Amino acid sequence: MASGGKKRRTRAAIIVSAVVTAVVVGGGAAAFVWLNRAQENTIPKAQSATIEHPLTPAEQIVADANDPRACAVTFSGDGAPADPMLQFQDALYQGLPIPQLEGRVFAGWYATAADAGALTVAARVNGADPVVCTDQQVELFAAWKTPEENAAENVRVPILMYHQFTANPEGEKGWLRGNYAYIGDFDAQMNHIATTGFYLPTWDELSAFIDGRLSLPAKSVIITDDDADQSWFDLAVPVVDKYKLLSTSFMITAYRQDPAPSVYVQRRSHTHDMHQAGDNGKGRMVNWTADQIAADLTTSAQILGVGQVVAYPYGHYNDTTKQGVAQAGYEMGRTIEPGYVKIGTDKLALPVVRIDYGMGLDALVSRIG
């Protein structure tokens, strides 16, 4: 302790002596400059303050995700959400918002403001599109129409219904022969959809369209398969992948629980275990109580991770069916009745365009354009 004090006193004496000498030789001003420098060398320097620039909300959600695939989606235009949304590259967009404004109809998200202004269908972005970002960020632009414009367009959306598939041009034999679409026809049909400007709505978009809250392009189509037969996995999914077309596989979850075979395939419910005949020979959907139906569909939703839309087995449904579907939290039910989805269509009785064996490209074009 004494030794340290002695050293400090000696150092101070040297400094004072140097100051006196500097005053005599170079003047007072020089002395004070020298003294300041001497003190800097003998007194520890304070740490310099670090100036931090706060991250933008988009930068923050990317940083929080800590994933190189993360992408912050920001929204611009009337009614656009203020907060960015986290999406992931190498996947399709999930859950894009459908904003609402009084007296207006949302017409979708677009890649640029110019595309939004022109309502360029090819540049419209939805859950059928893969997420593509620059520096982990992308901006989407809102477009709107009036309710009168939307109603005047009289858009009709076909829901295509396929079942099984065959690689045999002559088709399959037996009473289910009509269910088997020839894979060559399916390829030609999917190529037509992929190359002639069709828009592929999500189920969320279809629901909003029915409500009159969302405008869909005139050439819109939904592609679905019932039953998730092995031929769907082996023959049809590679075609869906090739053309990058959003599609839906309605699965009977008591029989199959396969993960989605492609990023372009959505799994939805064909019930858990109601694809069987009830006591009167008709499907369980019209034999069971609303509570029983709801319990079955709840199980299916838990397995699939979503309970949005169900395809009725055999197309059988009634008011009790609808009650059970709604009770389970499902928003839509798809029948086998022929027709097109329009504004105001009963969401629990969606019609279809059925595709059977022998229906080639011309047959498809005649039904969907």
Side-chain angles (χ1 to χ4, degrees), residues 23-364:
V23 170
V24 173
V25 177
F32 282 110
V33 171
W34 189 92
L35 177 60
N36 286 337
R37 290 175 180 169
Q39 289 175 329
E40 287 176 1
N41 292 331
T42 56
I43 300 174
K45 296 181 180 179
Q47 295 292 327
S48 61
T50 301
I51 301 175
E52 294 186 0
H53 298 285
L55 298 177
T56 66
E59 292 170 335
Q60 188 64 59
I61 65 169
V62 168
D64 291 344
N66 192 29
D67 187 323
R69 300 176 303 118
C71 178
V73 183
T74 54
F75 304 96
S76 294
D78 293 344
D83 296 330
M85 174 183 258
L86 182 65
Q87 299 280 343
F88 290 92
Q89 298 177 83
D90 301 328
L92 304 185
Y93 280 97
Q94 299 293 318
L96 286 176
I98 301 176
Q100 297 185 57
L101 288 177
E102 185 69 28
R104 301 172 77 179
V105 177
F106 185 58
W109 297 109
Y110 295 81
T112 69
D115 289 323
L119 298 172
T120 307
V121 175
R124 184 164 169 171
V125 176
N126 77 332
D129 298 304
V131 179
V132 179
C133 295
T134 301
D135 297 328
Q136 295 189 275
Q137 295 191 41
V138 66
E139 185 175 12
L140 299 179
F141 298 84
W144 297 87
K145 291 181 178 179
T146 67
E148 293 74 21
E149 288 174 322
N150 189 46
E153 290 170 348
N154 193 30
V155 172
R156 304 187 308 159
V157 180
I159 300 176
L160 303 183
M161 180 179 66
Y162 294 88
H163 284 86
Q164 290 83 30
F165 299 84
T166 178
N168 181 3
E170 302 303 318
E172 301 296 317
K173 296 180 180 179
W175 69 278
L176 283 177
R177 172 181 170 82
N179 272 8
Y180 282 83
Y182 171 51
I183 196 61
D185 290 335
F186 182 69
D187 189 291
Q189 292 164 352
M190 295 303 102
N191 178 64
H192 174 74
I193 291 171
T195 59
T196 57
F198 275 88
Y199 182 79
L200 301 169
T202 64
W203 293 106
D204 284 342
E205 288 181 304
L206 188 71
S207 176
F209 166 75
I210 292 171
D211 291 339
R213 297 185 290 110
L214 176 76
S215 169
L216 288 177
K219 292 177 68 173
S220 294
V221 65
I222 293 177
I223 305 162
T224 75
D225 168 76
D226 278 15
D227 304 335
D229 182 77
Q230 190 60 43
S231 62
W232 159 255
F233 289 90
D234 295 342
L235 298 176
V237 170
V239 175
V240 166
D241 256 351
K242 178 171 69 171
Y243 294 113
K244 298 179 171 56
L245 295 174
L246 184 69
S247 61
T248 297
S249 175
F250 285 112
M251 302 184 73
I252 309 165
T253 51
Y255 306 154
R256 299 199 73 142
Q257 299 179 12
D258 308 60
S262 163
V263 68
Y264 292 100
V265 175
Q266 307 172 97
R267 301 186 307 161
R268 294 297 186 269
S269 180
H270 205 15
T271 75
H272 178 63
D273 195 18
M274 285 192 283
H275 206 295
Q276 299 186 45
D279 294 338
N280 61 0
K282 293 186 178 181
R284 288 178 172 178
M285 266 288 193
V286 292
N287 276 274
W288 282 5
T289 66
D291 286 345
Q292 288 174 312
I293 292 168
D296 178 280
L297 291 178
T298 298
T299 298
S300 183
Q302 290 170 344
I303 293 168
L304 297 173
V306 60
Q308 183 181 43
V309 58
V310 56
Y312 300 137
Y314 317 113
H316 296 167
Y317 72 101
N318 56 22
D319 288 342
T320 302
T321 304
K322 291 182 176 182
Q323 182 183 344
V325 171
Q327 191 173 313
Y330 286 63
E331 190 176 8
M332 291 170 283
R334 202 222 64 199
T335 73
I336 61 170
E337 295 169 359
Y340 302 85
V341 178
K342 309 172 187 177
I343 297 172
T345 292
D346 184 350
K347 291 186 183 180
L348 293 176
L350 301 178
V352 300
V353 173
R354 181 185 176 100
I355 306 296
D356 290 326
Y357 173 75
M359 294 175 62
L361 178 58
D362 289 344
L364 180 79

